C-alpha cells in the first residue's frame, strides 16, 4: 500500500491547528492559541474567525515543515466540519476545500466530538474495543460507548452547561480570565474542598451543571456581603471546592455507565481531561474497580488537528470522502 499522508485542519473554536498524519501516525501537530479573548470572559466569535484567517496559512506551513514533507506529498485533507462556531469553522473548511481542489486530492470531513474520542488512537497503547469515553470540553460533556473507530453512541450527556463551561463560568465569577479551567485547576491544587456546592441529581447517565453555577453565584454574593475580601483570601479553597464538585459529578456517572455496560476500558477526552484532579480521580477509581484507564497526553486533550487527522485516517481507510459541496455545520448530529 502507498504511504498515506493526510493534512488535518481544526478551527472549530478559538485555536487554529494543523497536523500531518502518516498512515495513522502523527508526524506534526501545530496549535496556535488565540489570546485575544482573555479579557472578554469567553470566545468572541468574530475575533476568533479573524484570528483563524491570520493564522491558517502559517500554521499549515509549519505543520508540513515539521513533518518534513511538501504539499505535493499529501494524499488527502481532513478537516473539522462541525460542531463549533460557524465563522471559525468556515475558515478551516474553505481552506481545506481550496487546497484539496488545487492538489486534486480527496477531502474528509470529521465530526469534532468523534475526533476528541479518537485522540486515543494517536498514541499507543490504544484502548481496546468496546471502551467508554467521557468527553469533557468547553461545549460538550458526553459519555460515549465506542465499539469501533467509526462506531460510537452517546449514552449520556449534559442537559445544560458543559463541564468546561462550568469551570470557565465559575472561574469568571472569581475574577479569573478566560479560559478559567486551567487556572481553577492550578488554584485547586493549593486548596481544600471545604465549601459544599450543589450536585445535580439529573437521572440516567445525563449531567447538569447549571445548579452548581447558581449555587456558586449565591454563595459568593452572600460571603462578599460580609467580607469583601472573601474571594481574594479563599480563592484556592473555593477553586478546590468547585473542582471537586464537578469531578464527583463526572465520576459518579462514569462509574454508573461502567457498571451498566460492564465495560472496563475507560477513557477521558477533551479539554477538561487535562484537569489534574480528574486525571487523578480516574487513576484512583481505575485501581479500585479494575478498570484500564486511558488518559490522553496533554497535547491531545485540548483542541488539536492531530485528532482530526487520526479520525480522518479511519474514514480514509473506509473511503468516506466528501465533495466540494460540503459546508461547515455549527450544529451536527453525533
Ligand atoms: O476541548 P477544548 O480544548 O475545546 C472545546 O472543544 O471546547 O476544551 C476547552 C475547555 C475549556 O472550557 C477549558 O477551560 C477547559 O477545557 N480546560 C480545563 C483545563 N484545561 C482546559 N478545565 C479544567 N482543568 C483544566 N486543567
Ligand atoms: Zn474540542
Amino acid at each position: 500500500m502507498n504511504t498515506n499522508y493526510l493534512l488535518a485542519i481544526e478551527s472549530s473554536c478559538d485555536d487554529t491547528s494543523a497536523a500531518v498524519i502518516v498512515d495513522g501516525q502523527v508526524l506534526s501537530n501545530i496549535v496556535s492559541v488565540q489570546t485575544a479573548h482573555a479579557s472578554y470572559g469567553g470566545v468572541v466569535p468574530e475575533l476568533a474567525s479573524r484570528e483563524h484567517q491570520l493564522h491558517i496559512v502559517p500554521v499549515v506551513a509549519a505543520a508540513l515543515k515539521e513533518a518534513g514533507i511538501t504539499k505535493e506529498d499529501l494524499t488527502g485533507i481532513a478537516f473539522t466540519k462541525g460542531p463549533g462556531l460557524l465563522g471559525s469553522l468556515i475558515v478551516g473548511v474553505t481552506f481545506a476545500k481550496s487546497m484539496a481542489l488545487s492538489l486534486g486530492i480527496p477531502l474528509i470531513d470529521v465530526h469534532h466530538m468523534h475526533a476528541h474520542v479518537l485522540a486515543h488512537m494517536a498514541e499507543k497503547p490504544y484502548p481496546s474495543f468496546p471502551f467508554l469515553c467521557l468527553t469533557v470540553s468547553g461545549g460538550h460533556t458526553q459519555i460515549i460507548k465506542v465499539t469501533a473507530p467509526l462506531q460510537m453512541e452517546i449514552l449520556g450527556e449534559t442537559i445544560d452547561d458543559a463541564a468546561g463551561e462550568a469551570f470557565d463560568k465559575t472561574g469568571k465569577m472569581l475574577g479569573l480570565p478566560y479560559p478559567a479551567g486551567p487556572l481553577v485547576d492550578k488554584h485547586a491544587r493549593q486548596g481544600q474542598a471545604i465549601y459544599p456546592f450543589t450536585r445535580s441529581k439529573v437521572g440516567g447517565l445525563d449531567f447538569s451543571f447549571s445548579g452548581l453555577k447558581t449555587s456558586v453565584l449565591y454563595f459568593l454574593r452572600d460571603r462578599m456581603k460580609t467580607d469583601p475580601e472573601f474571594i481574594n483570601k479563599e480563592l484556592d479553597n473555593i477553586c478546590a471546592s468547585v473542582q471537586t464538585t464537578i469531578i464527583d459529578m463526572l465520576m459518579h456517572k462514569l462509574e454508573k455507565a461502567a457498571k451498566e455496560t460492564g465495560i472496563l476500558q475507560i477513557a477521558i477526552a477533551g479539554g477538561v481531561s487535562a484537569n489534574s484532579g480528574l486525571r487523578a480521580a480516574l487513576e484512583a477509581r481505575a485501581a479500585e474497580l479494575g478498570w484500564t484507564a486511558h488518559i490522553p497526553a496533554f497535547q491531545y486533550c485540548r483542541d488539536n488537528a492531530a485528532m482530526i487527522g487520526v479520525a480522518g485516517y479511519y474514514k480514509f481507510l473506509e473511503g468516506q470522502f466528501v465533495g466540494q459541496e460540503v459546508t461547515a455545520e455549527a450544529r451536527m448530529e453525533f
Side-chain angles (χ1 to χ4, degrees):
M1 204 167 93
N2 292 333
T3 309
N4 174 343
Y5 287 104
L6 285 187
L7 172 69
I9 291 167
E10 151 64 31
S11 70
S12 64
C13 190
D14 57 340
D15 297 332
T16 316
S17 182
V20 174
I21 310 293
V22 59
D23 294 332
Q25 301 303 307
V26 182
L27 281 192
S28 63
N29 184 31
I30 308 289
V31 184
S32 164
V33 178
Q34 300 182 1
T35 50
H37 312 281
S39 58
Y40 293 94
V43 176
V44 183
E46 191 176 326
L47 281 182
S49 28
R50 279 171 198 266
E51 295 276 309
H52 283 304
Q53 290 181 76
L54 288 174
H55 296 147
I56 188 102
V57 171
V59 164
V60 167
L64 291 171
K65 187 168 177 217
E66 193 173 306
I69 64 163
T70 66
K71 60 184 188 309
E72 287 74 24
D73 294 317
L74 294 171
T75 46
I77 302 189
F79 62 93
T80 307
K81 175 178 161 74
L85 298 171
L86 193 60
S88 290
L89 289 163
I90 285 174
V91 178
V93 174
T94 307
F95 185 92
K97 284 168 67 165
S98 315
M99 195 156 171
L101 186 66
S102 72
L103 294 169
I105 55 176
L107 269 175
I108 305 149
D109 64 332
V110 173
H111 190 296
H112 182 82
M113 299 312 294
H114 289 182
H116 269 303
V117 173
L118 292 176
H120 283 283
M121 317 288 282
E123 268 182 340
K124 288 187 174 139
Y126 303 156
S128 52
F129 297 101
F131 68 92
L132 292 180
C133 187
L134 170 72
T135 314
V136 269
S137 71
H140 293 79
T141 299
Q142 301 175 325
I143 296 179
I144 319 259
K145 181 180 169 187
V146 192
T147 32
L150 301 180
Q151 247 178 56
M152 44 184 103
E153 62 174 304
I154 299 174
L155 302 183
E157 63 187 329
T158 183
I159 57 166
D160 42 51
D161 292 348
E165 227 176 327
F167 273 104
D168 294 339
K169 287 182 177 167
T170 50
K172 188 179 175 186
M173 293 175 207
L174 298 168
L176 300 173
Y178 178 86
L183 297 167
V184 172
D185 187 357
K186 187 170 150 241
H187 286 286
R189 268 178 265 157
Q190 296 147 20
Q192 298 291 325
I194 55 174
Y195 299 113
F197 294 123
T198 303
R199 279 154 214 247
S200 96
K201 300 270 187 301
V202 66
L205 293 174
D206 287 337
F207 300 92
S208 164
F209 292 101
S210 61
L212 164 68
K213 195 175 59 186
T214 316
S215 111
V216 175
L217 184 70
Y218 290 156
F219 170 81
L220 293 177
R221 193 193 57 186
D222 293 348
R223 293 300 180 107
M224 292 296 277
K225 258 190 222 154
T226 50
D227 179 4
E229 285 303 308
F230 180 72
I231 291 180
N232 285 342
K233 287 192 298 206
E234 281 301 290
L235 186 58
D236 293 346
N237 291 337
I238 305 168
C239 287
S241 306
V242 168
Q243 178 165 305
T244 300
T245 310
I246 295 173
I247 293 170
D248 284 355
M249 285 197 268
L250 293 172
M251 290 306 298
H252 173 68
K253 291 297 168 91
L254 194 52
E255 276 182 51
K256 194 170 178 209
K259 212 170 177 181
E260 285 177 9
T261 58
I263 294 172
L264 298 175
Q265 296 277 320
I266 313 288
I268 52 175
V272 180
S273 65
N275 184 269
S276 60
L278 179 61
R279 294 165 89 92
L282 179 61
E283 298 271 23
R285 291 311 276 151
E288 285 164 33
L289 299 171
W291 295 349
T292 305
H294 297 275
I295 300 177
F298 286 111
Q299 61 162 328
Y300 300 127
C301 292
R302 64 170 189 206
D303 288 348
N304 67 89
M307 67 183 193
I308 304 300
V310 171
Y313 172 68
Y314 287 99
K315 293 190 86 172
F316 188 99
L317 293 181
E318 300 287 322
Q320 293 185 20
F321 304 124
V322 284
Q324 283 287 331
E325 69 286 354
V326 66
T327 59
E329 303 286 345
R331 293 177 190 282
M332 233 177 124
E333 283 290 300
F334 187 75

